[in-house]
Amino acid sequence: MSWKTAWRSFYYETAEEPEDIVLEAPKTALLVIDIQNTYLELPDDPTEAARWAPFFERMHETVIPNTAALQKWARMNGIEVIHARIACLKEDGRDRSLSQKKPGFNYLLLPKDREDSQIVDAVGPVGDEIVVTKTTDSALTGTNLRMVLHNMGITDVIVAGIFTDQCISSSVRSLADESFGVVVVEDCCAAATQELHEAELRIINMIYCHVVNSAEVKGFLA
């Protein structure tokens, strides 16, 4: 199934097919969000480790290798590669947004210099690639990324990373609200479960972005 007809929600089941996407390398950025060491740490509790096993499998076998390949393609074609990560500036995390202070999964205390807050080596920055640090879900809301993209003449953003239903979705919505063209590469993203991943892709597709796979996005380059 083509990206033009895949990932349709109820709202767009009967909508016309979108026009072809054409990306100009100098005006396009690849934004990789939150693929950090902390999210690859196996829980100590065997029950939790088993519960998260499908996520770890997808990360190691699909998301990380596909994202690394996409970054390589982007660099070879003159597309700016940009990285976003969650990290607080204060050791005690006082500067975090409220959503990262609440108890539960989204409670995040990741001081910027600690190893678990660093980007996974396989998809890390090369040379002078920009890294923005955030304590929010959206890579735009909590950083100067909006201004950086505008200053660099970027009009279209390819998005990869985690979690599809959290920071990916929030960043995509922010980018769309700022009138960037957004493409989400589904096989370079993951949520805690495949069900959550696929549900969120259907929610954001066609209105905030176009959901494609890594083979399809490479065919959009002018």
Side-chain angles (χ1 to χ4, degrees), residues 2 6-7 10 48 52 68 75 94 140 151 171 174 212:
S2 163
W7 304 110
F10 176 87
E48 276 298 285
W52 281 89
R75 291 168 183 136
R94 292 200 314 271
L140 267 73
N151 288 350
S171 299
S174 294
V212 306

Side-chain angles (χ1 to χ4, degrees), residues 110-147:
L110 294 170
K112 62 182 175 62
D113 296 323
R114 212 166 66 189
E115 182 61 24
D116 56 351
S117 76
Q118 305 308 307
I119 296 169
V120 172
D121 286 342
V123 294
V126 173
D128 65 349
E129 290 176 355
I130 294 167
V131 181
V132 295
T133 299
K134 62 191 178 73
T135 61
T136 54
D137 273 14
S138 171
L140 267 73
T141 302
T143 73
N144 68 339
L145 181 58
R146 178 190 298 103
M147 182 174 67

Side-chain angles (χ1 to χ4, degrees), residues 4-221:
K4 292 188 176 187
T5 54
W7 304 110
R8 297 288 188 106
S9 71
F10 176 87
Y11 300 107
Y12 290 93
E13 281 179 354
T14 60
E16 294 181 6
E17 290 188 7
E19 296 179 357
D20 292 344
I21 297 173
V22 179
L23 300 176
E24 299 179 45
K27 296 181 179 181
T28 303
L30 168 59
L31 174 62
V32 180
I33 299 173
D34 298 352
I35 302 182
Q36 296 169 249
N37 291 329
T38 187
Y39 294 120
L40 297 184
E41 294 174 346
L42 197 66
D44 293 330
D45 180 351
T47 302
E48 276 298 285
R51 202 167 73 95
W52 281 89
F55 169 77
F56 292 126
E57 181 180 355
R58 179 171 174 85
M59 288 301 295
H60 287 292
E61 295 186 8
T62 301
V63 174
I64 290 174
N66 284 353
T67 300
L70 192 64
Q71 289 174 320
K72 182 178 180 180
W73 166 81
R75 291 168 183 136
M76 288 176 59
N77 285 281
I79 293 173
E80 190 71 31
V81 178
I82 298 175
H83 311 259
R85 69 180 180 117
I86 296 170
C88 52
L89 304 177
K90 301 291 291 183
E91 288 291 321
D92 64 1
R94 292 200 314 271
D95 57 302
R96 292 172 297 167
S97 64
L98 179 60
S99 66
Q100 293 186 7
K101 293 177 181 177
K102 291 181 177 180
F105 173 75
N106 214 43
Y107 177 86
L108 294 167
L109 180 58
L110 294 170
K112 62 182 175 62
D113 296 323
R114 212 166 66 189
E115 182 61 24
D116 56 351
S117 76
Q118 305 308 307
I119 296 169
V120 172
D121 286 342
V123 294
V126 173
D128 65 349
E129 290 176 355
I130 294 167
V131 181
V132 295
T133 299
K134 62 191 178 73
T135 61
T136 54
D137 273 14
S138 171
L140 267 73
T141 302
T143 73
N144 68 339
L145 181 58
R146 178 190 298 103
M147 182 174 67
V148 168
L149 293 171
H150 281 305
N151 288 350
M152 297 176 71
I154 300 298
T155 59
D156 294 277
V157 181
I158 302 166
V159 176
I162 58 175
F163 288 82
T164 313
D165 55 328
Q166 297 187 26
C167 293
I168 297 299
S169 179
S170 183
S171 299
V172 164
R173 291 164 187 255
S174 294
L175 287 163
D177 283 346
E178 294 291 333
S179 295
F180 290 97
V182 186
V183 174
V184 172
V185 186
E186 68 88 8
D187 54 344
C188 292
C189 296
T193 69
Q194 191 67 14
E195 181 183 13
L196 288 171
H197 171 70
E198 293 181 2
E200 190 63 33
L201 292 176
R202 291 187 174 91
I203 290 170
I204 61 177
N205 185 44
M206 296 283 289
I207 181 168
Y208 303 111
C209 66
H210 288 298
V211 175
V212 306
N213 62 44
S214 54
E216 289 170 327
V217 74
K218 295 172 184 176
F220 298 158
L221 198 58

